[in-house]
Amino acid sequence: QQPAAGSGGGTGCGERSREHCRLATVGHVLDALIVTDHDPSTLERARNNHETTLEELLDSHHCANEDDEFTTINNIGSIPTHFEQLDWNHGQYDVKYVQELIMEHSVPAQTKADTVLGSDLIYHASVVEPLFQTAVLLLMGGGVNDKKTNTTTASRGRFLLSQSFAYDGETELEIERCCHELGLTRTVLWEDQGGKNR
């Protein structure tokens, strides 16, 4: 299933949105990209980085002919991209607005994101539950009702997190608890110092 809408959890400098743009250049289809963070200045920095990335991709993409160039420009430049404030602790209000943006751009219309991406979002065990609840709301396209609904609906989307440091034991336990309660399946991949994936 191709992502109908991507939503980033914590924007940082906009790296996840940059990766979405790179995916678009190799033929993956996005109906929309919604970049989120709770901090307006971070969103502004992400917007600037996103615009710079688009320019660099267009400048560096060598096309064999005019048709290829036209296709590349359409793939990259025509993805509706929004930069929106999203606070996990006030999830219902912010999530409803993000869901409206998803519905506006997805065909057929839907309120759920197919993919939620985040990077270095978990810095303390206390942020795990609101983050995961927000991600499930975005993946479900509605409210968190019961465990059975969450299990069947949330499993249709992808919640992908990357982390540049290991979690402490308390955070690991909280992640496992939230995954269990929200019906998420956790798969851990990591690269060791030798560059090997596990």
Side-chain angles (χ1 to χ4, degrees):
Q1 178 179 10
Q2 296 175 333
S7 177
T11 293
C13 294
E15 284 300 312
R16 298 310 82 172
S17 65
R18 293 167 63 153
E19 289 307 314
H20 267 317
C21 286
R22 287 187 183 97
L23 285 174
T25 66
V26 293
H28 294 273
V29 176
L30 292 175
D31 290 336
L33 174 62
I34 302 165
V35 181
T36 65
D37 200 281
H38 73 281
D39 179 48
S41 64
T42 301
L43 282 170
E44 186 59 34
R45 187 170 51 251
R47 180 191 313 273
N48 292 338
N49 286 345
H50 176 76
E51 290 170 0
T52 299
T53 299
L54 285 177
E55 291 170 9
E56 289 171 359
L57 286 171
L58 288 171
D59 289 344
S60 69
H61 196 79
H62 301 289
C63 299
N65 56 48
E66 198 171 295
D67 288 339
D68 285 348
E69 183 175 357
F70 180 74
T71 300
T72 300
I73 290 170
N74 277 339
N75 285 346
I76 298 171
S78 65
I79 300 168
T81 304
H82 300 271
F83 295 82
E84 302 298 333
Q85 198 165 353
L86 178 64
D87 185 339
W88 309 326
N89 292 309
H90 301 92
Q92 289 287 348
Y93 174 77
D94 289 349
V95 166
K96 284 186 188 296
Y97 182 69
V98 172
Q99 289 169 336
E100 289 172 11
L101 291 173
I102 293 169
M103 182 180 271
E104 180 181 328
H105 296 292
S106 59
V107 178
Q110 63 181 22
T111 58
K112 71 178 199 71
D114 289 344
T115 305
V116 175
L117 296 173
S119 179
D120 288 331
L121 301 179
I122 300 174
Y123 48 87
H124 188 271
S126 65
V127 304
V128 173
E129 186 171 10
L131 167 62
F132 280 46
Q133 286 177 344
T134 301
V136 168
L137 285 170
L138 289 168
L139 292 170
M140 288 174 45
V144 174
N145 295 322
D146 63 15
K147 187 176 174 181
K148 184 177 179 185
T149 300
N150 293 340
T151 301
T152 58
T153 309
S155 64
R156 294 183 190 146
R158 293 174 300 267
F159 176 32
L160 307 172
L161 290 174
S162 66
Q163 194 74 16
S164 62
F165 54 88
Y167 301 125
D168 61 31
E170 179 186 3
T171 301
E172 284 288 347
L173 289 173
E174 183 65 1
I175 291 171
E176 291 297 330
R177 182 189 71 76
C178 287
C179 285
H180 177 74
E181 288 185 7
L182 296 169
L184 299 171
T185 302
R186 184 178 186 205
T187 303
V188 179
L189 305 172
W190 73 86
E191 183 176 285
D192 63 20
Q193 290 180 347
K196 295 182 181 178
N197 293 326
R198 297 183 183 193

